[in-house]
């Protein structure tokens, strides 16, 4: 055992010598002698400025090392601060110190503040530190940053990205890295508080507590990152979702935009505001590059419960691969279910196999199912996609078949759709669907509405969706409820309200089949009213054009024939220009517009010719107060969102001409005749109500109106009829539905007018549109009749005297003519006798 004793004595002597050496070293070694050399070395190697505010201390507990205070490092070739720390403690190995070399064993950093940036060109402010620095041959290594342990306490990291406009902050960071090896990485464990958002927004989009552990390694030359035994946790909020708990485990390797993961599992739980959610994603094998995605044994599920609802969804596939040269799906199974508030909804998609390459496409029939049930409502949808062929750039399905049946809200529906499908894919660089096309499309079915006959259709055509251009086009021809339909439509833009283009023609549309009947009657006075034109985003964003033609449109009591209209919509500005139709035995044409602002403004220009005025009045008010054939034209404008507002702001002008008609409720001629026969009764000036059996006929009636704030003023009424000629002026108050009008109707001097000729009847029209009143000024009428009678009697006496005088004159003239005739006869006889005597004398 002597050799053991000698070894022990020798070891003791060595410890004594070592202790003496350490004492001499601490007495003679001053680390501050290296401060300038360290600063210079950092400046030379990194072109960054290192500042050491305090003295470098040499400590021996818990291990031999150096302690630095108030240390900062500048940005690359800039004086701006890149990093700062409150205290740094570096443990050093003992033996290299005997050789006057410093090799770091462990580092503890407190109060680190680090600023990470990426500029608009995508350059990081640590790119220079990530590049390996070549060392000149033969250079003696005086300082080494290789370490076995790194500890950070209360650190803060700020990140700003000018490319993505994102920002993030990590604060209160505590990190411990052990078993550090430049090649194999290190065991990491950290916890911190994370917040992230945008450079412009003050509110954090992500905020919570982050934890990370595992073995992480990064190669400076390739920037490859390798993680093994990864455990990532997060508790907090993200994208306004509170109460989130995230857990990620697995192994991953990332290098040159290529990610490979094994046994990756993502668990996300949420509990907030009475809602619980669980999301689980299992990826035993994942490979992802900018051009390829490979997933094996995909298993994803979602479960949600709360607020009276239960929801579950699952996606499973043994293999899923997408590359520029191949699309492979194996036994894809997608399930969805929702239940709550007495409602159940379920859906599923099953694709047993689908393989598409640049040369060919093959696969089995894809099955689609969906069910909905709530109370008495139920709806079932079933579909299939079969006959797959084509290539990776153009996948085709010989048949897409969809059927649905059931009822919703008492409305029944049965429908079937069949078509051939084409899917055009584009490599850019990943495969993306670019064009979907349904050809040979046919659909038929019927919808049953409560209290109405079934609406049926049978249509054929095609449908195409350009996903790249965000455009949908369709053409359909067929029969809609026994009426021929031709439709061509397109939509542009799939986000928000799309722009549209529509061209449609329909033989007939009978709205009476689908809408409850409306009764003709007077419009109620404007004493309030609900909003009939709400402020909807549609009015301010809709854009497109439409041309619509309907041979016959019916909605009792209206019947419109040959309806044609062109609709042009721009955001906030809609126009119908032109529109035309045959209505009420006449022809209507014109234009209309609507501008949607704080208060919408509506305008109308119309020309209505050959209209049956009686039918129009009866349709609008329930009674044909005026009849005849009329022409109406004008320009109107109004603003507001309710009918009372429209009536109160109605402005414009209008012209009316009616021929061969009548005003019902009063007969001007009968009134004058009754006045002539009973003057005393007429002097009572009664105000008779309008009588349905009385009417004033006319051959021509014309008037023009100036409308201001709902009051229509007329000053030029002209009316001509049998024995009748009239004029008038006054106004019609549309908001109040009242009439204030004066009519002067006169009986013309004609052969058959008699005592009525030249009489003018003053009529005051008042009351409401629904119940007009006619007040006749009988006193003025009686006076005119008496004066007219006197004129007639005087004229008759004069004419009688003249006739008697003429008769006496004619008698005297006749007597003179008779005497003259007798004298001439006697004279002729004497001449004849004398002639005979002369002949006798000469003859002898």
């Amino acid at each position: 055992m002597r050799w053991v004793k000698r070894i022990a004595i020798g070891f003791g002597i060595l410890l004594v010598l070592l202790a003496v050496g350490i004492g001499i070293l601490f007495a003679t070694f001053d680390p501050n002698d290296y401060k300038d050399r360290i600063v210079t070395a950092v400046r030379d190697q990194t072109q960054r400025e290192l500042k050491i505010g305090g003295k470098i201390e040499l400590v021996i507990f818990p291990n031999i090392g150096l302690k630095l205070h108030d240390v900062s490092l500048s940005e690359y070739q800039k004086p701006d601060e890149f990093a700062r720390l409150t205290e740094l403690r570096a443990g050093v190995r003992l033996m290299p110190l005997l050789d006057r070399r410093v090799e770091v064993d462990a580092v503890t950093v407190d109060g680190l503040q680090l600023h990470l940036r990426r500029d608009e060109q995508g350059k990081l402010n640590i790119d220079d530190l990530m590049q390996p620095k070549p060392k000149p041959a033969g250079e003696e290594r005086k300082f080494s940053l290789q370490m076995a342990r790194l500890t950070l306490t209360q650190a803060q990291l700020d990140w700003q990205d000018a490319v993505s406009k994102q920002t993030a902050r990590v604060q209160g960071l505590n990190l411990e890295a052990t078993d550090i090896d430049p090649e194999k990485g290190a065991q990491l464990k950290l916890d911190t508080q994370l917040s992230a958002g945008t450079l412009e927004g003050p509110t954090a989009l992500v905020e919570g507590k982050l934890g990370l552990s595992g073995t992480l390694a990064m190669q400076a030359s390739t920037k490859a990152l390798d993680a093994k035994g990864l455990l990532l946790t997060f508790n907090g909020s993200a994208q306004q979702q509170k109460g989130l708990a995230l857990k990620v485990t697995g192994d991953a390797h990332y290098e040159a935009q290529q990610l490979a993961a094994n046994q990756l599992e993502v668990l996300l739980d949420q509990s907030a505001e009475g809602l619980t959610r669980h999301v689980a994603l299992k990826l035993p094998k994942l490979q992802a590059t900018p051009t390829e995605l490979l997933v094996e044994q995909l298993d994803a599920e979602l479960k949600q419960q709360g607020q009276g609802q239960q929801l579950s969804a699952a996606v499973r596939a043994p293999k899923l691969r997408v590359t520029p040269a191949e699309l492979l799906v194996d036994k894809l199974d997608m399930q969805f279910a929702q239940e709550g508030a007495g409602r159940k909804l379920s859906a599923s998609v099953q694709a047993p196999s689908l393989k598409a390459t640049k040369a060919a496409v093959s696969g089995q029939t894809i099955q689609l199912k969906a069910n909905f049930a709530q109370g008495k409502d139920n709806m079932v949808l079933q579909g299939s996609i079969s006959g797959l062929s084509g290539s990776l750039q153009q996948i085709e399905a010989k048949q897409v078949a969809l059927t649905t049946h059931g009822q919703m809200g008492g409305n029944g529906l049965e429908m079937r759709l069949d078509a051939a499908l084409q899917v055009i894919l584009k490599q850019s660089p990943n495969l993306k669907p670019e064009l979907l096309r349904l050809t040979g499309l046919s659909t038929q079915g019927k919808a049953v509405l409560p209290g109405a006959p079934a609406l049926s259709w049978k249509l054929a055509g095609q449908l195409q969706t350009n996903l790249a251009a965000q455009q949908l086009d369709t053409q359909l021809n067929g029969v809609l409820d026994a009426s021929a339909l031709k439709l061509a439509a397109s939509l542009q833009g799939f986000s928000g309200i799309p722009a549209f283009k529509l061209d449609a023609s329909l033989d007939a549309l009978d709205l009476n089949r689908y809408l409850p009947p409306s009764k003709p009657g007077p419009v109620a006075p404007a004493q309030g009213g609900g909003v009939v034109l709400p402020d909807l985003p549609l009015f301010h964003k809709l854009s497109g054009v439409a041309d619509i033609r309907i041979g016959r449109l019916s909605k009792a009591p209206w019947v419109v024939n040959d309806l044609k209209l062109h609709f042009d919509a721009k955001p906030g500005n809609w126009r119908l220009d032109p529109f035309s139709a045959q209505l009420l035995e006449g022809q209507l044409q014109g234009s209309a517009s609507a501008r949607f602002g704080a208060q919408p403004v509506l305008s109308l220009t119309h020309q209505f010719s050959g209209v049956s005025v009686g039918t129009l009045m009866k349709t609008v008010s329930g009674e044909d107060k005026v009849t005849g054939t009329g022409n109406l034209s004008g320009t109107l404008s109004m603003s507001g969102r309710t009918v009372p507002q429209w009536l109160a702001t109605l402005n414009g002008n209008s012209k009316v001409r009616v021929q061969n008609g009548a005003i019902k409720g009063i007969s001007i001629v009968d009134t004058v005749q009754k006045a002539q026969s009973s003057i005393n009764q007429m002097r009572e000036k009664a105000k008779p109500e309008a009588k349905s059996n009385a009417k004033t006929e006319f051959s021509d009636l014309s008037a023009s109106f100036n409308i201001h704030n709902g009051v229509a003023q007329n000053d030029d009424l002209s009316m001509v009829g049998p024995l009748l000629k009239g004029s008038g002026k006054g106004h019609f108050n549309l908001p109040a539905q009242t009439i204030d009008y004066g009519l002067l109707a006169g009986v013309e001097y004609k052969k058959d007018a008699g005592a009525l000729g030249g009489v003018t009847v003053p009529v005051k029209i008042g009351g409401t549109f629904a119940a007009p009143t006619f007040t006749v000024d009988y006193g003025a009428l009686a006076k005119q009749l008496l004066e007219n009678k006197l004129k007639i009697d005087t004229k008759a006496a004069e004419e009688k005297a003249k006739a008697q005088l003429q008769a006496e004159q004619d008698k005297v003239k006749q007597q003179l003519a008779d005497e003259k005739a007798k004298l001439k006869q006697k004279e002729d006889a004497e001449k004849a006798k004398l002639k005979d005597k002369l002949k006798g004398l000469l003859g002898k």
Side-chain angles (χ1 to χ4, degrees), residues 131-145:
Q131 300 296 329
K133 300 294 190 297
K135 183 174 64 174
E139 180 180 347
E140 183 180 2
R141 189 172 186 178
K142 297 295 184 181
F143 183 74
S144 174
L145 284 179

Side-chain angles (χ1 to χ4, degrees), residues 599-628:
Q599 286 292 331
V601 177
L602 311 178
S603 62
L604 170 68
T605 299
H606 65 280
Q607 180 74 40
F608 205 174
S609 59
V611 61
S612 173
V613 178
T615 307
L616 174 62
M617 295 292 292
K618 191 169 185 178
T619 301
V620 174
S621 65
E623 297 185 39
D624 52 349
K625 300 292 186 182
V626 181
T627 63

Side-chain angles (χ1 to χ4, degrees), residues 118 120 159-167 197-201 205:
R118 184 165 71 161
E120 295 178 350
W159 163 254
Q160 288 188 359
D161 189 348
V163 176
S164 63
K165 306 298 182 182
Q166 300 293 314
T167 181
T198 63
L199 293 175
E200 294 84 1
L205 301 178

Side-chain angles (χ1 to χ4, degrees), residues 656-706:
V656 179
R657 185 176 183 184
V658 184
Q659 295 178 310
N660 302 320
I663 301 174
K664 294 185 176 182
I666 185 171
S667 172
I668 300 298
V669 176
D670 288 349
T671 300
V672 176
Q673 289 175 338
K674 290 178 181 179
Q676 184 184 26
S677 62
S678 182
I679 297 293
N680 293 332
Q681 295 179 1
M682 289 186 287
R683 293 180 184 275
E684 297 177 2
K685 298 183 181 181
K687 298 182 180 180
E689 296 295 325
K691 298 181 179 180
S692 60
N693 58 348
K695 64 181 179 179
T696 298
E697 296 182 341
F698 58 84
S699 59
D700 188 271
L701 184 151
S702 63
S704 63
F705 296 87
N706 289 317

Side-chain angles (χ1 to χ4, degrees), residues 107-109 112 149-155 157 170 172-178 180 186-192 212 216:
V107 174
T108 300
V109 180
L112 172 66
R149 178 185 297 270
L150 171 65
T151 302
L152 298 180
T153 59
Q154 294 303 308
L157 280 72
V170 173
L173 172 63
N174 297 309
L175 178 144
E176 185 175 0
T178 58
I180 300 175
Q187 284 284 343
L188 292 182
K189 183 178 181 181
L190 70 82
D191 62 84
T192 185
L212 176 66
L216 273 73

Side-chain angles (χ1 to χ4, degrees), residues 434-504:
E434 184 180 44
L435 188 68
L436 302 179
R437 182 181 293 125
L438 291 176
T439 58
L441 172 65
S442 66
T443 175
Q444 58 183 343
K446 65 179 181 179
V448 181
L449 308 179
L455 169 65
S456 61
W457 68 89
K458 186 175 183 180
L459 304 172
Q462 63 180 12
L463 184 145
Q464 177 175 293
T465 301
N466 191 322
L467 300 177
Q470 294 193 15
Q471 180 171 333
L472 183 146
D473 298 280
T474 184
Q475 292 182 346
L476 294 173
N477 298 319
V479 177
L480 175 63
D481 215 10
S483 179
L485 170 67
K486 292 183 178 180
L487 173 70
S490 66
L491 297 176
Q492 180 72 51
F494 295 160
S495 60
I497 299 176
F500 69 91
K501 186 175 182 181
L502 173 68
D503 188 286

Side-chain angles (χ1 to χ4, degrees), residues 331-407:
K331 297 180 182 178
L332 175 65
D333 186 4
M334 303 173 64
Q335 302 287 335
F336 175 85
Q338 184 181 20
E339 183 176 351
R343 177 175 55 191
K344 292 182 179 181
L345 174 64
S346 63
S348 66
V349 177
Q350 294 179 329
S353 67
L354 173 62
K355 183 177 181 180
T357 65
K358 291 183 177 181
V361 173
S362 61
Q364 297 177 334
T365 301
I366 300 173
Q367 299 290 343
L368 312 172
K369 292 182 180 180
N371 292 274
F372 174 84
Q374 182 176 16
K376 296 182 179 180
D377 293 342
N378 65 87
M379 191 67 63
V380 178
L381 183 146
Q382 293 180 320
S384 62
I385 303 175
S386 59
L388 297 174
S389 62
S391 65
L392 186 60
Q393 283 72 36
Q394 181 172 314
I395 300 177
E396 299 181 358
K398 187 176 181 180
Q399 183 180 29
V400 174
L402 293 175
T403 61
T404 182
H405 61 87
Q407 64 176 8

